[in-house]
């Protein structure tokens, strides 16, 4: 039976008690981490958000009733204890903030009992994630989960403070809105008042923040939930949080400047990590050429090398034909991996096949300089020498080559480079390598739709230098879009927006929208642009990913209190679930799925 | 044609330029508020978020091309101007922060032209609200709207800072969740992956914040969007923002204490208004008796008087029967309104009829003491005298009486009191009268469902003194719930929660839930409560209403950037709207509404 805490007031959290309180009476409350009986003594580790504090019940000083209650305590019982702070009798525990003190308990109340939890409440227990998520309320008691969520709160508080000082105003945009054209699938919300009509949950506040710039708010900020009904990955959730901003009367450098200073201050304040400014910038083109990725992990080298020129005339059909077909041959040098067993190399081949490449060509250079290669027999000696030289191949190195269409080669070698680095253990996990990637293509070709689509969104400004290319070579037009990359993750991105009606119209035309299409989808933005629109640009950070990287986790579920799993369900609440027939009727909706089954 | 701002950098916002900059070159950017040509001079009022700055073009100093462009400027054009700050030649404008200076413009760029806006961009223009909402991006340029949204941003920033210092952690809870039992209708979100299943948008994070207390987070904060699919009123929106908090190891006084200090600091910091602490507390019972409302406006008196005892034996059937039927007779004294014309009194009668009362009895006491009354003929003289005395009726007063079931009498006189105060102009609009209302009933009887339902929610703790009444008189059980009231508005509310499994079970039983019902709806919370739950309590403020009151507006749409109208639609974006057949198919949904029409 739970006792009330009537008349009691907590005087300290567990680790707020220190040896400065010795001799004082304190009242602490929390969960029983564990109980140990040692002769006539009972020790309790009491846990709260702040940490652990040792309670002692001594049968020479505690009264019988208190001792009896203390003996009933089990893990996760919630208790309130009042007693005197004293120096520990026994050994000091240097692992604990309160390791040199203990509370000699005089009165004890059991505020809540507990059944035995389905898994131990401790850091690094390797409980299956499914169980952790079903009992998330227990999992969230783990000190590491508490650290992660407290870190998250610190980060958003700091970012808001910083950006407020920079003149940003936090403005809430609607959650119940109209489909936005971000490309992904919307979550829809049926309307009861307007049967057959739907709201969409926002994929981003893109249009609204641009409207706020039209309205003269100058600098907008919002830390906001966004939604995408897409299949999940380790770093994706159906609902995710963006740190979203937009600025008026600025160009790229202004956006980069304020965000660099934000990141530098944030990492210094919260993690005591120094970020050197300015953060390096790299064009999209350079990033693809050197790393096969538009979000390169620059904590290590192993860059891609273009050997097309070296092998374009060789007898090895895979190489020569790829180039003849307009593709490319590129390699990476896995330094020191010359002795990799054949089996392991085969696994690398399987890895790139998984991404779409037909195979992987390799040269193993043994420590004594002797060479094993999958394609040497097709090559002249001087061609092999030139190839190894181009790759800077040394004794003991493993050279790996991909030959195919350029985009596929980039994708595969980019991924292979990360996989190898991971296997080789050459990534310095203490590094935070930031990078701006700039000059993204404005369009990309969609094989599915057989037309060019926006790489970001149709409001992205083309580079002034490339405006003429809009009429001649869409694939070559670069945009004023930029991403901020951290350790191989896209941390955020943004762009300068089109603020000129004539360029915006041309964009829609090039994307194949009729005037009616464009008006149907973005009418209110186009209307707003008739009444004086300032040049503006913006950026959004993915907060979940930022916190994941700051907490050095490899899954965003570790930094979200109540995440969904792969099928977008919540294992704790069982959402989504069936609803009453009455609710469906009020919305004038019927499930065609149920009908099919019947 | 829009010019680019390439190579230009804004040096100041408009009102950041001051007479300390005289002689300096500045570059400012913004919207043309108005243009005046005066002889050889052209004056432009330039507007940005910060205010207005005067630009001058002088044909003796500006070159011809600049003058030509300046002559083209129309309202709402966006421009960038570079020039020298100088003292105003003409009269100083004391209404403007920059009223003693002007910019002698040397170069000008037109960044964006503008059509003539559908209404003038100025404060206090009486544009129809429909038009304002359709062109919200223009309406949001009004200085008063900008002040409101900037105030909103200041308030949330301040509250977050204050509560962080008090040990609160901001934790995000899910938007895609399961139906909660708050009584109102949920917005549903169909699931594509689980056809026939739905998420619900949260009406409040109630269950999640209680789980976070179970998880040991100790003090939780979130400024969060919540959703209710109910018909709208002036101070309701389908989506609204709550400042939501929950605290562990506390009782009522702790919650009240931290929130009183929060409100005091907030009003001082943002409005420079002093709130006296402690804020007055009043029980629900007293509030109803004195003001006929659980959210009384205490800026004026005109309290209700119970005259049942005085009239219980009179011959006036309306009075006597009401009391015989278990009802009540109560009155209010509209001081000084004794000469109110009959027509106006009739309107008051119509007013209370609209709320459900059959009529209103009155006594008019003229300045000379003569009496007009709707029911005097049924009363003995001494009964009339006693009644007037009970009402403290003086020459020149108007006494109004309602006789019916007690709840209806409270509702009608409570509303009549506000209506009269408004007509009489006796409300001091500069006052901020805060009040805690406590000891709310735990249950209220639902005529519709023919059973007792929770007045707040089923997790509200009964007062310990009333626990026994759970078995004898549900209607009499008081709860540990509290509301914070400001000037007659419910600003927020909360309660101590049940943390004892046995009391929670009893609550569900009294509410008529079977064990299966309770488990189906709140299973995960009940499960969580098995593993050690701390005593906890919380509170949530309605942010929209708080900002509305701080900004002295009478409609929350004035403090929301993109609000919905009465039918829950957005006049600007036309949300909600029809969606593609493909989207419906993916969700396995069909509209029964469309089918009915065909």
């Amino acid at each position: 039976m739970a006792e009330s805490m009537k008349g009691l007031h907590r005087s300290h959290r567990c680790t707020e008690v220190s040896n400065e309180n010795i001799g004082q009476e304190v009242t602490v409350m929390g969960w029983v981490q564990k109980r140990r009986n040692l002769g006539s003594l009972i020790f309790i580790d009491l846990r709260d958000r702040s940490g652990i504090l040792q309670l002692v019940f001594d049968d020479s000083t505690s009264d019988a009733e208190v001792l009896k209650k203390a003996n009933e305590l089990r893990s996760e019982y919630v208790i309130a204890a009042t007693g005197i702070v004293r120096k520990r009798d026994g050994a000091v525990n240097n692992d604990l903030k309160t390791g040199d003190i203990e509370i000699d308990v005089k009165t004890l109340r059991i505020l809540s009992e507990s059944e035995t939890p389905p898994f131990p409440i401790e850091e690094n227990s390797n409980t299956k994630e499914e169980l952790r998520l079903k009992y998330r309320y227990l999992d969230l008691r783990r000190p590491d989960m508490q650290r992660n969520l407290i870190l998250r709160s610190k980060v958003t508080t700091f970012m808001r403070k910083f950006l407020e000082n920079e003149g940003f105003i936090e403005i809430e945009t609607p959650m119940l809105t109209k489909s936005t054209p971000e490309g992904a699938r919307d979550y829809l919300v049926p309307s009861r008042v307007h049967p057959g009509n739907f709201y969409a949950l926002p994929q981003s506040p893109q249009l609204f923040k641009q409207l706020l710039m039209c309205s003269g708010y100058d600098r907008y900020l919002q830390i906001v939930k966004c939604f995408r009904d897409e299949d999940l990955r380790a770093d994706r959730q159906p609902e995710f949080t963006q740190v979203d901003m937009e600025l008026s009367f600025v160009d790229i450098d202004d956006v980069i400047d304020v965000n660099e200073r934000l990141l530098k201050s944030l990492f210094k304040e919260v993690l005591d990590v120094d970020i050197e400014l300015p953060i390096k910038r790299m064009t999209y083109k350079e990033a693809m050429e050197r790393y096969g990725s538009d979000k390169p992990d620059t904590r290590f080298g192993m860059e891609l090398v273009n050997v097309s020129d070296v092998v374009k005339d060789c007898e090895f059909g895979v190489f020569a034909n790829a180039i003849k077909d307009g593709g490319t041959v590129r390699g990476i040098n896995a330094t020191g991996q010359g002795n990799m067993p054949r089996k392991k190399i085969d696994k690398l081949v399987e890895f790139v096949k998984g991404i779409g490449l037909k195979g992987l060509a390799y040269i193993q250079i043994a420590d004594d300089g002797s060479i094993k290669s999958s394609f040497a027999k097709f090559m002249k000696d001087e061609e092999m020498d030139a190839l190894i030289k181009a790759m800077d191949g040394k004794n003991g190195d493993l050279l790996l080559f991909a030959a195919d269409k350029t985009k596929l080669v980039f994708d595969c070698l980019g991924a292979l480079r990360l996989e190898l680095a991971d296997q080789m253990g050459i990534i310095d996990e203490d590094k935070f390598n930031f990078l701006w990637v700039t000059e993204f293509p404005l369009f990309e070709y969609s094989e599915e739709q057989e037309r060019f689509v926006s790489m970001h969104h149709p409001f992205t400004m083309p580079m002034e230098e490339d405006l003429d290319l809009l009429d001649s070579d869409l694939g070559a037009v670069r945009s004023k879009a930029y991403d901020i990359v951290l350790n191989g993750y896209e941390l955020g991105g943004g762009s300068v927006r089109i603020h000129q009606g004539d360029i915006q119209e041309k964009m829609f035309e090039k994307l194949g929208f009729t005037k009616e299409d464009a008006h149907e989808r973005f009418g209110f933005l186009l209307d707003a642009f008739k009444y004086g629109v300032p040049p503006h640009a913006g950026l959004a950070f993915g907060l979940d990913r930022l916190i994941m990287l700051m907490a050095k986790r490899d899954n965003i579920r570790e930094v979200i209190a109540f995440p969904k799993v792969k099928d977008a369900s919540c294992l704790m609440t069982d959402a989504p679930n069936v609803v009453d027939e009455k609710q469906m009727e009020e919305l004038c909706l019927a499930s065609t799925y149920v009908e099919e089954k019947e």
Side-chain angles (χ1 to χ4, degrees), chain A residues 246-260:
Chain A
E246 194 80 10
L247 303 81
S248 287
F249 302 113
V250 294
D251 208 333
I252 292 183
D253 285 346
D254 304 286
V255 179
I256 285 186
D257 168 63
V258 71
N259 280 290
E260 284 190 352

Side-chain angles (χ1 to χ4, degrees), chain A residues 72-338:
Chain A
E72 286 167 14
L73 297 181
R74 301 275 177 280
S75 286
E76 302 309 315
Y77 274 39
V78 179
I79 60 173
T82 302
I84 306 295
V85 184
R86 69 183 189 198
K87 225 180 157 49
R88 281 205 192 185
D89 260 353
V92 164
N93 181 344
N94 289 318
D95 290 346
L96 288 186
K97 226 171 154 183
T98 59
D100 57 344
I101 53 167
E102 60 191 16
I103 311 296
D104 181 19
V105 179
K106 299 301 171 201
T107 67
L108 172 69
R109 289 196 208 169
I110 298 177
L111 301 176
S112 174
E113 300 181 350
S114 171
E115 296 182 8
T116 304
F119 51 82
I121 309 298
E122 47 187 45
E123 199 161 342
N124 303 322
S125 79
N126 51 5
T127 310
K128 266 176 52 186
E129 200 191 9
E130 262 189 36
L131 202 63
R132 291 178 53 200
L133 290 175
K134 180 169 166 52
Y135 296 94
R136 188 59 156 184
Y137 40 84
L138 297 179
D139 189 48
L140 288 174
R141 294 183 183 178
R142 289 164 50 140
D144 50 338
M145 287 306 298
Q146 299 208 339
R147 274 202 309 275
N148 293 351
L149 293 188
I150 290 170
L151 171 74
R152 186 174 177 123
S153 178
K154 267 193 197 149
V155 168
T156 53
T157 305
F158 181 86
M159 289 178 107
R160 283 192 164 103
K161 271 188 217 165
F162 182 95
L163 290 169
E164 185 198 27
N165 282 336
E166 295 283 332
F168 286 82
I169 300 170
E170 185 151 12
I171 300 177
E172 295 176 67
T173 55
M175 291 282 114
L176 296 173
T177 177
K178 200 183 174 180
S179 264
T180 52
E182 304 296 313
R185 203 183 281 112
D186 283 322
Y187 274 105
L188 298 180
V189 182
S191 160
R192 176 179 56 90
V193 185
H194 305 274
N197 287 260
F198 292 80
Y199 304 95
L201 299 178
Q203 294 184 30
S204 92
Q206 184 63 34
L207 298 178
F208 290 104
K209 67 177 179 171
Q210 291 196 243
L211 289 178
L212 288 169
M213 295 302 100
C214 292
S215 301
Y217 286 81
D218 206 281
R219 296 193 161 199
Y220 145 93
L221 163 72
Q222 192 180 193
I223 300 187
V224 62
K225 279 279 174 76
C226 301
F227 303 84
R228 280 182 202 183
D229 186 9
E230 296 293 341
D231 300 322
L232 305 194
R233 300 190 312 230
D235 61 348
R236 277 235 184 119
Q237 286 276 316
E239 58 181 291
F240 53 97
T241 306
Q242 287 198 344
V243 180
D244 193 42
M245 64 184 83
E246 194 80 10
L247 303 81
S248 287
F249 302 113
V250 294
D251 208 333
I252 292 183
D253 285 346
D254 304 286
V255 179
I256 285 186
D257 168 63
V258 71
N259 280 290
E260 284 190 352
R261 287 185 293 106
L262 168 63
L263 288 169
K264 186 184 175 73
S265 314
L266 174 67
F267 274 69
K268 186 66 191 172
E269 167 86 10
V270 177
L271 297 180
D272 197 25
V273 163
D274 288 302
I275 301 176
E276 205 183 318
L277 296 193
I279 289 170
K280 236 182 116 174
R281 300 189 199 183
M282 191 180 285
T283 65
Y284 172 87
K285 188 164 183 288
E286 183 181 348
M288 295 306 286
E289 293 275 340
R290 289 177 55 188
Y291 300 99
S293 167
D294 60 359
K295 42 178 194 281
D297 189 338
T298 56
R299 286 175 298 177
F300 63 98
M302 221 195 303
E303 296 186 11
L304 277 58
V305 181
N306 188 349
V307 294
S308 301
D309 274 350
V310 182
V311 301
K312 67 176 188 289
D313 301 318
C314 76
E315 299 279 309
F316 184 36
V318 172
F319 285 178
N321 291 336
I323 294 164
K324 224 171 287 164
D325 294 345
T328 190
V329 181
R330 294 175 194 239
I332 53 179
N333 182 342
T335 312
Q337 301 294 304

